[in-house]
Amino acid sequence: MSFPARRPRRLRRTPALRRLVAETRLHPADLILPVFVREGLDAPAPISSMPGVVQHSEASLLEAAEEARELGLGGIMLFGIPAVRDAVGTASLDPEGILNRSIRAVKARVGEDLPVMSDLCLDEFTDHGHCGVLTAEGAVDNDATLEIYAQMGVAQAEAGADVVAPSGMMDGQVAVIRQALDEAGHQEVPILAYSAKYASAFYGPFREAVDSQLSGDRRTYQMDAPNRTEALREAEMDITEGADMIMVKPATAYLDILADVAAFSDVPVAAYQVSGEYAMIEAAAAQGWVDRRGVILESITAIRRAGATNVLTYHAAEIAGWLHEG
């Protein structure tokens, strides 16, 4: 009887051997925690479609940031929800608006120990829910929106943001934000560009999280799901315009896109495990259909294996706690 000369199972025999040859590892610094802070709250408000995630009060936001620092997370990404919205997202530019004052407060709490990142988009601030200002006909006006994005970038940098993250998918957004930051003396503030952001059904719970006012969809500016090559073009454009990091969003259903982008990019590539991905795991686990911890770790490992330098995930703090347990 002949026996196999090559036996890959040898290296799977024990947990220690599997750990020895693991090609992908997770570390708290790989993870970025997205957080929502809502103006006017005096206590955290649970988000029903995202069990375990809340809209933070300004006080509880600081507690979450402190925990993220203690856990050694790679960063915290802030999304602000204002009390008053209008057609042009005026609150996004207010130095005392909910997002900018929260950036300042979190930065004062964590210092240089935790990168404070800020979402740079108008959707949370407009009364129509779109990521830009509208024309008289109701279309998103790309170039008029860019003017506001430039001002937002400067406002967030002056509030203390370590990283600004334009997510609106407007053509030319990285270039105008980079120019505005440089002209305002913020040459050292990096840009994390949402480069390949798809118009996805996986964003559903996020709409509740930010109390979105959107009617309709964002398909005229976010990418179309069938397209693969276009993602490379978008990422290449953002890098050329000055992006220091780029992102693919969503993550799990777009691992092919992530792998493509990571293969050619000479800047770090992040991926966002979005609200719908989070909610599906939590819903299945609540029914007892999957091993919650196992699926969470496997999903993040898959995103990292596909090429993500960092992963934005609502499970970030919990995963970091597990990793510290050993």
mmCIF file of all heavy atoms in Angstrom, residues 37 58 78-81 89-107 116 118-120 125 151-161 164:
data_model
loop_
_atom_site.group_PDB
_atom_site.id
_atom_site.type_symbol
_atom_site.label_atom_id
_atom_site.label_comp_id
_atom_site.label_asym_id
_atom_site.label_seq_id
_atom_site.Cartn_x
_atom_site.Cartn_y
_atom_site.Cartn_z
ATOM 1 N N VAL A 37 -22.756 59.470 17.642
ATOM 2 C CA VAL A 37 -23.058 60.361 18.748
ATOM 3 C C VAL A 37 -24.202 61.278 18.319
ATOM 4 O O VAL A 37 -24.132 61.929 17.274
ATOM 5 C CB VAL A 37 -21.815 61.165 19.191
ATOM 6 C CG1 VAL A 37 -21.203 61.969 18.048
ATOM 7 C CG2 VAL A 37 -22.163 62.086 20.360
ATOM 8 N N GLU A 58 -23.056 62.459 24.456
ATOM 9 C CA GLU A 58 -21.700 63.004 24.421
ATOM 10 C C GLU A 58 -20.854 62.454 25.569
ATOM 11 O O GLU A 58 -19.643 62.267 25.415
ATOM 12 C CB GLU A 58 -21.751 64.528 24.427
ATOM 13 C CG GLU A 58 -22.385 65.082 23.146
ATOM 14 C CD GLU A 58 -22.440 66.591 23.101
ATOM 15 O OE1 GLU A 58 -21.359 67.218 23.113
ATOM 16 O OE2 GLU A 58 -23.565 67.141 23.057
ATOM 17 N N LEU A 78 -15.917 58.600 14.058
ATOM 18 C CA LEU A 78 -17.071 59.305 14.604
ATOM 19 C C LEU A 78 -18.078 59.691 13.519
ATOM 20 O O LEU A 78 -17.696 60.226 12.469
ATOM 21 C CB LEU A 78 -16.621 60.578 15.325
ATOM 22 C CG LEU A 78 -16.219 60.462 16.797
ATOM 23 C CD1 LEU A 78 -15.094 59.463 16.992
ATOM 24 C CD2 LEU A 78 -15.831 61.828 17.350
ATOM 25 N N PHE A 79 -19.349 59.424 13.818
ATOM 26 C CA PHE A 79 -20.472 59.868 13.003
ATOM 27 C C PHE A 79 -21.360 60.731 13.898
ATOM 28 O O PHE A 79 -21.790 60.280 14.968
ATOM 29 C CB PHE A 79 -21.286 58.678 12.489
ATOM 30 C CG PHE A 79 -20.547 57.783 11.522
ATOM 31 C CD1 PHE A 79 -19.708 56.788 11.993
ATOM 32 C CD2 PHE A 79 -20.701 57.946 10.155
ATOM 33 C CE1 PHE A 79 -19.024 55.958 11.117
ATOM 34 C CE2 PHE A 79 -20.029 57.120 9.267
ATOM 35 C CZ PHE A 79 -19.187 56.124 9.748
ATOM 36 N N GLY A 80 -21.649 61.955 13.469
ATOM 37 C CA GLY A 80 -22.464 62.859 14.265
ATOM 38 C C GLY A 80 -23.886 62.953 13.746
ATOM 39 O O GLY A 80 -24.117 62.970 12.537
ATOM 40 N N ILE A 81 -24.841 63.014 14.682
ATOM 41 C CA ILE A 81 -26.261 63.126 14.329
ATOM 42 C C ILE A 81 -26.788 64.419 14.956
ATOM 43 O O ILE A 81 -26.969 64.499 16.175
ATOM 44 C CB ILE A 81 -27.058 61.923 14.852
ATOM 45 C CG1 ILE A 81 -26.402 60.610 14.388
ATOM 46 C CG2 ILE A 81 -28.509 61.999 14.383
ATOM 47 C CD1 ILE A 81 -26.901 59.389 15.130
ATOM 48 N N GLY A 89 -26.802 70.993 4.950
ATOM 49 C CA GLY A 89 -25.992 70.395 6.016
ATOM 50 C C GLY A 89 -25.177 71.393 6.807
ATOM 51 O O GLY A 89 -24.017 71.134 7.167
ATOM 52 N N THR A 90 -25.778 72.516 7.132
ATOM 53 C CA THR A 90 -25.057 73.608 7.803
ATOM 54 C C THR A 90 -24.353 73.155 9.080
ATOM 55 O O THR A 90 -23.234 73.592 9.377
ATOM 56 C CB THR A 90 -26.038 74.752 8.128
ATOM 57 O OG1 THR A 90 -26.647 75.201 6.916
ATOM 58 C CG2 THR A 90 -25.325 75.904 8.806
ATOM 59 N N ALA A 91 -24.981 72.252 9.823
ATOM 60 C CA ALA A 91 -24.402 71.832 11.107
ATOM 61 C C ALA A 91 -23.069 71.133 10.952
ATOM 62 O O ALA A 91 -22.286 71.048 11.905
ATOM 63 C CB ALA A 91 -25.386 70.924 11.844
ATOM 64 N N SER A 92 -22.775 70.652 9.751
ATOM 65 C CA SER A 92 -21.506 69.961 9.531
ATOM 66 C C SER A 92 -20.311 70.900 9.627
ATOM 67 O O SER A 92 -19.187 70.460 9.887
ATOM 68 C CB SER A 92 -21.505 69.289 8.162
ATOM 69 O OG SER A 92 -21.512 70.253 7.115
ATOM 70 N N LEU A 93 -20.548 72.187 9.413
ATOM 71 C CA LEU A 93 -19.460 73.168 9.408
ATOM 72 C C LEU A 93 -19.339 73.930 10.720
ATOM 73 O O LEU A 93 -18.351 74.635 10.941
ATOM 74 C CB LEU A 93 -19.661 74.167 8.266
ATOM 75 C CG LEU A 93 -19.734 73.572 6.856
ATOM 76 C CD1 LEU A 93 -19.945 74.679 5.837
ATOM 77 C CD2 LEU A 93 -18.480 72.777 6.536
ATOM 78 N N ASP A 94 -20.307 73.799 11.583
ATOM 79 C CA ASP A 94 -20.331 74.540 12.840
ATOM 80 C C ASP A 94 -19.259 73.995 13.792
ATOM 81 O O ASP A 94 -19.291 72.816 14.152
ATOM 82 C CB ASP A 94 -21.715 74.397 13.480
ATOM 83 C CG ASP A 94 -21.866 75.216 14.750
ATOM 84 O OD1 ASP A 94 -20.870 75.810 15.216
ATOM 85 O OD2 ASP A 94 -22.992 75.235 15.286
ATOM 86 N N PRO A 95 -18.308 74.825 14.211
ATOM 87 C CA PRO A 95 -17.276 74.349 15.147
ATOM 88 C C PRO A 95 -17.872 73.790 16.430
ATOM 89 O O PRO A 95 -17.258 72.931 17.074
ATOM 90 C CB PRO A 95 -16.442 75.602 15.422
ATOM 91 C CG PRO A 95 -16.684 76.494 14.261
ATOM 92 C CD PRO A 95 -18.095 76.230 13.838
ATOM 93 N N GLU A 96 -19.079 74.268 16.787
ATOM 94 C CA GLU A 96 -19.750 73.766 17.981
ATOM 95 C C GLU A 96 -20.846 72.768 17.647
ATOM 96 O O GLU A 96 -21.649 72.408 18.512
ATOM 97 C CB GLU A 96 -20.327 74.949 18.781
ATOM 98 C CG GLU A 96 -19.261 75.893 19.309
ATOM 99 C CD GLU A 96 -18.227 75.179 20.172
ATOM 100 O OE1 GLU A 96 -18.618 74.276 20.953
ATOM 101 O OE2 GLU A 96 -17.039 75.504 20.059
ATOM 102 N N GLY A 97 -20.898 72.343 16.389
ATOM 103 C CA GLY A 97 -21.852 71.313 16.004
ATOM 104 C C GLY A 97 -21.480 69.972 16.626
ATOM 105 O O GLY A 97 -20.357 69.766 17.088
ATOM 106 N N ILE A 98 -22.411 69.032 16.603
ATOM 107 C CA ILE A 98 -22.245 67.786 17.333
ATOM 108 C C ILE A 98 -21.007 67.003 16.904
ATOM 109 O O ILE A 98 -20.282 66.458 17.759
ATOM 110 C CB ILE A 98 -23.513 66.899 17.220
ATOM 111 C CG1 ILE A 98 -23.370 65.628 18.063
ATOM 112 C CG2 ILE A 98 -23.808 66.556 15.771
ATOM 113 C CD1 ILE A 98 -23.180 65.855 19.539
ATOM 114 N N LEU A 99 -20.710 66.953 15.617
ATOM 115 C CA LEU A 99 -19.549 66.163 15.192
ATOM 116 C C LEU A 99 -18.250 66.858 15.560
ATOM 117 O O LEU A 99 -17.343 66.236 16.141
ATOM 118 C CB LEU A 99 -19.607 65.904 13.686
ATOM 119 C CG LEU A 99 -18.435 65.092 13.118
ATOM 120 C CD1 LEU A 99 -18.288 63.753 13.838
ATOM 121 C CD2 LEU A 99 -18.607 64.874 11.613
ATOM 122 N N ASN A 100 -18.139 68.143 15.269
ATOM 123 C CA ASN A 100 -16.880 68.829 15.508
ATOM 124 C C ASN A 100 -16.564 68.966 17.000
ATOM 125 O O ASN A 100 -15.416 68.805 17.420
ATOM 126 C CB ASN A 100 -16.882 70.195 14.819
ATOM 127 C CG ASN A 100 -16.856 70.051 13.306
ATOM 128 O OD1 ASN A 100 -16.228 69.149 12.773
ATOM 129 N ND2 ASN A 100 -17.566 70.937 12.611
ATOM 130 N N ARG A 101 -17.587 69.218 17.813
ATOM 131 C CA ARG A 101 -17.289 69.314 19.240
ATOM 132 C C ARG A 101 -17.009 67.936 19.842
ATOM 133 O O ARG A 101 -16.238 67.820 20.807
ATOM 134 C CB ARG A 101 -18.393 70.041 19.989
ATOM 135 C CG ARG A 101 -19.714 69.334 20.182
ATOM 136 C CD ARG A 101 -20.631 70.178 21.092
ATOM 137 N NE ARG A 101 -21.891 69.539 21.393
ATOM 138 C CZ ARG A 101 -23.060 69.814 20.818
ATOM 139 N NH1 ARG A 101 -23.115 70.753 19.873
ATOM 140 N NH2 ARG A 101 -24.168 69.178 21.175
ATOM 141 N N SER A 102 -17.577 66.896 19.242
ATOM 142 C CA SER A 102 -17.286 65.543 19.715
ATOM 143 C C SER A 102 -15.867 65.133 19.343
ATOM 144 O O SER A 102 -15.183 64.463 20.130
ATOM 145 C CB SER A 102 -18.299 64.553 19.136
ATOM 146 O OG SER A 102 -19.593 64.807 19.636
ATOM 147 N N ILE A 103 -15.426 65.496 18.148
ATOM 148 C CA ILE A 103 -14.031 65.252 17.773
ATOM 149 C C ILE A 103 -13.111 65.897 18.802
ATOM 150 O O ILE A 103 -12.162 65.269 19.305
ATOM 151 C CB ILE A 103 -13.733 65.823 16.370
ATOM 152 C CG1 ILE A 103 -14.507 65.075 15.289
ATOM 153 C CG2 ILE A 103 -12.224 65.778 16.082
ATOM 154 C CD1 ILE A 103 -14.469 65.760 13.934
ATOM 155 N N ARG A 104 -13.398 67.144 19.125
ATOM 156 C CA ARG A 104 -12.560 67.891 20.067
ATOM 157 C C ARG A 104 -12.558 67.232 21.444
ATOM 158 O O ARG A 104 -11.496 67.078 22.073
ATOM 159 C CB ARG A 104 -13.082 69.329 20.148
ATOM 160 C CG ARG A 104 -12.136 70.314 20.826
ATOM 161 C CD ARG A 104 -12.486 71.742 20.447
ATOM 162 N NE ARG A 104 -13.885 72.072 20.698
ATOM 163 C CZ ARG A 104 -14.779 72.359 19.728
ATOM 164 N NH1 ARG A 104 -14.423 72.347 18.458
ATOM 165 N NH2 ARG A 104 -16.026 72.659 20.043
ATOM 166 N N ALA A 105 -13.721 66.790 21.894
ATOM 167 C CA ALA A 105 -13.825 66.185 23.221
ATOM 168 C C ALA A 105 -13.114 64.838 23.281
ATOM 169 O O ALA A 105 -12.414 64.531 24.254
ATOM 170 C CB ALA A 105 -15.295 66.023 23.601
ATOM 171 N N VAL A 106 -13.311 64.019 22.242
ATOM 172 C CA VAL A 106 -12.651 62.716 22.220
ATOM 173 C C VAL A 106 -11.144 62.887 22.132
ATOM 174 O O VAL A 106 -10.382 62.193 22.825
ATOM 175 C CB VAL A 106 -13.180 61.857 21.052
ATOM 176 C CG1 VAL A 106 -12.341 60.589 20.882
ATOM 177 C CG2 VAL A 106 -14.635 61.489 21.284
ATOM 178 N N LYS A 107 -10.711 63.807 21.303
ATOM 179 C CA LYS A 107 -9.263 64.040 21.174
ATOM 180 C C LYS A 107 -8.669 64.489 22.505
ATOM 181 O O LYS A 107 -7.564 64.055 22.878
ATOM 182 C CB LYS A 107 -9.011 65.084 20.082
ATOM 183 C CG LYS A 107 -7.539 65.272 19.750
ATOM 184 C CD LYS A 107 -6.943 64.014 19.178
ATOM 185 C CE LYS A 107 -5.467 64.187 18.870
ATOM 186 N NZ LYS A 107 -4.837 62.912 18.468
ATOM 187 N N VAL A 116 -8.208 59.501 16.159
ATOM 188 C CA VAL A 116 -9.607 59.933 16.091
ATOM 189 C C VAL A 116 -9.921 60.257 14.633
ATOM 190 O O VAL A 116 -9.332 61.161 14.043
ATOM 191 C CB VAL A 116 -9.853 61.159 16.985
ATOM 192 C CG1 VAL A 116 -11.300 61.616 16.871
ATOM 193 C CG2 VAL A 116 -9.497 60.832 18.432
ATOM 194 N N SER A 118 -12.887 60.949 11.520
ATOM 195 C CA SER A 118 -14.208 61.572 11.386
ATOM 196 C C SER A 118 -14.775 61.313 10.005
ATOM 197 O O SER A 118 -14.094 61.506 8.993
ATOM 198 C CB SER A 118 -14.125 63.076 11.649
ATOM 199 O OG SER A 118 -13.122 63.677 10.853
ATOM 200 N N ASP A 119 -16.024 60.870 9.976
ATOM 201 C CA ASP A 119 -16.725 60.699 8.714
ATOM 202 C C ASP A 119 -16.965 62.072 8.103
ATOM 203 O O ASP A 119 -17.469 62.980 8.765
ATOM 204 C CB ASP A 119 -18.058 59.991 8.954
ATOM 205 C CG ASP A 119 -18.830 59.787 7.667
ATOM 206 O OD1 ASP A 119 -18.328 59.060 6.797
ATOM 207 O OD2 ASP A 119 -19.926 60.368 7.528
ATOM 208 N N LEU A 120 -16.597 62.200 6.833
ATOM 209 C CA LEU A 120 -16.751 63.479 6.142
ATOM 210 C C LEU A 120 -17.790 63.293 5.042
ATOM 211 O O LEU A 120 -17.482 62.851 3.944
ATOM 212 C CB LEU A 120 -15.392 63.926 5.568
ATOM 213 C CG LEU A 120 -15.220 65.398 5.184
ATOM 214 C CD1 LEU A 120 -13.747 65.733 4.957
ATOM 215 C CD2 LEU A 120 -16.023 65.777 3.942
ATOM 216 N N PHE A 125 -26.379 65.231 7.962
ATOM 217 C CA PHE A 125 -26.659 66.635 8.269
ATOM 218 C C PHE A 125 -27.723 67.266 7.380
ATOM 219 O O PHE A 125 -28.189 68.368 7.666
ATOM 220 C CB PHE A 125 -25.362 67.446 8.162
ATOM 221 C CG PHE A 125 -24.300 67.011 9.132
ATOM 222 C CD1 PHE A 125 -23.321 66.123 8.750
ATOM 223 C CD2 PHE A 125 -24.314 67.464 10.444
ATOM 224 C CE1 PHE A 125 -22.354 65.698 9.650
ATOM 225 C CE2 PHE A 125 -23.358 67.051 11.349
ATOM 226 C CZ PHE A 125 -22.369 66.158 10.951
ATOM 227 N N GLN A 151 -14.631 72.588 3.069
ATOM 228 C CA GLN A 151 -14.805 73.295 4.342
ATOM 229 C C GLN A 151 -14.951 72.322 5.506
ATOM 230 O O GLN A 151 -14.435 72.555 6.604
ATOM 231 C CB GLN A 151 -16.034 74.193 4.267
ATOM 232 C CG GLN A 151 -15.943 75.307 3.223
ATOM 233 C CD GLN A 151 -17.255 76.073 3.114
ATOM 234 O OE1 GLN A 151 -17.681 76.758 4.058
ATOM 235 N NE2 GLN A 151 -17.920 75.956 1.975
ATOM 236 N N MET A 152 -15.658 71.206 5.275
ATOM 237 C CA MET A 152 -15.811 70.198 6.323
ATOM 238 C C MET A 152 -14.459 69.618 6.725
ATOM 239 O O MET A 152 -14.190 69.412 7.916
ATOM 240 C CB MET A 152 -16.724 69.063 5.843
ATOM 241 C CG MET A 152 -18.189 69.403 5.767
ATOM 242 S SD MET A 152 -19.196 67.980 5.207
ATOM 243 C CE MET A 152 -19.098 66.921 6.665
ATOM 244 N N GLY A 153 -13.623 69.331 5.745
ATOM 245 C CA GLY A 153 -12.313 68.780 6.041
ATOM 246 C C GLY A 153 -11.508 69.684 6.945
ATOM 247 O O GLY A 153 -10.895 69.239 7.927
ATOM 248 N N VAL A 154 -11.530 70.962 6.637
ATOM 249 C CA VAL A 154 -10.794 71.934 7.454
ATOM 250 C C VAL A 154 -11.406 72.027 8.848
ATOM 251 O O VAL A 154 -10.689 72.053 9.856
ATOM 252 C CB VAL A 154 -10.769 73.306 6.759
ATOM 253 C CG1 VAL A 154 -10.164 74.366 7.680
ATOM 254 C CG2 VAL A 154 -9.982 73.225 5.455
ATOM 255 N N ALA A 155 -12.732 72.075 8.930
ATOM 256 C CA ALA A 155 -13.399 72.173 10.232
ATOM 257 C C ALA A 155 -13.072 70.971 11.103
ATOM 258 O O ALA A 155 -12.823 71.107 12.318
ATOM 259 C CB ALA A 155 -14.910 72.297 10.037
ATOM 260 N N GLN A 156 -13.062 69.790 10.524
ATOM 261 C CA GLN A 156 -12.764 68.592 11.299
ATOM 262 C C GLN A 156 -11.297 68.555 11.732
ATOM 263 O O GLN A 156 -10.982 68.165 12.860
ATOM 264 C CB GLN A 156 -13.135 67.346 10.489
ATOM 265 C CG GLN A 156 -14.636 67.205 10.280
ATOM 266 C CD GLN A 156 -15.018 66.012 9.429
ATOM 267 O OE1 GLN A 156 -14.176 65.193 9.053
ATOM 268 N NE2 GLN A 156 -16.296 65.897 9.107
ATOM 269 N N ALA A 157 -10.413 68.970 10.842
ATOM 270 C CA ALA A 157 -8.998 69.016 11.206
ATOM 271 C C ALA A 157 -8.762 70.025 12.322
ATOM 272 O O ALA A 157 -7.986 69.766 13.256
ATOM 273 C CB ALA A 157 -8.158 69.369 9.980
ATOM 274 N N GLU A 158 -9.427 71.161 12.255
ATOM 275 C CA GLU A 158 -9.243 72.179 13.290
ATOM 276 C C GLU A 158 -9.852 71.737 14.616
ATOM 277 O O GLU A 158 -9.414 72.180 15.680
ATOM 278 C CB GLU A 158 -9.829 73.504 12.810
ATOM 279 C CG GLU A 158 -9.005 74.086 11.661
ATOM 280 C CD GLU A 158 -9.489 75.436 11.177
ATOM 281 O OE1 GLU A 158 -10.605 75.851 11.559
ATOM 282 O OE2 GLU A 158 -8.734 76.076 10.405
ATOM 283 N N ALA A 159 -10.842 70.835 14.553
ATOM 284 C CA ALA A 159 -11.400 70.282 15.786
ATOM 285 C C ALA A 159 -10.474 69.245 16.408
ATOM 286 O O ALA A 159 -10.650 68.884 17.575
ATOM 287 C CB ALA A 159 -12.762 69.652 15.506
ATOM 288 N N GLY A 160 -9.500 68.764 15.625
ATOM 289 C CA GLY A 160 -8.526 67.825 16.159
ATOM 290 C C GLY A 160 -8.519 66.450 15.538
ATOM 291 O O GLY A 160 -7.819 65.553 16.019
ATOM 292 N N ALA A 161 -9.296 66.237 14.459
ATOM 293 C CA ALA A 161 -9.334 64.917 13.834
ATOM 294 C C ALA A 161 -7.940 64.505 13.377
ATOM 295 O O ALA A 161 -7.226 65.281 12.736
ATOM 296 C CB ALA A 161 -10.296 64.913 12.651
ATOM 297 N N VAL A 164 -9.341 62.391 8.380
ATOM 298 C CA VAL A 164 -10.657 62.705 7.839
ATOM 299 C C VAL A 164 -10.988 61.664 6.781
ATOM 300 O O VAL A 164 -10.121 61.212 6.034
ATOM 301 C CB VAL A 164 -10.742 64.135 7.264
ATOM 302 C CG1 VAL A 164 -10.511 65.162 8.365
ATOM 303 C CG2 VAL A 164 -9.751 64.341 6.123
#
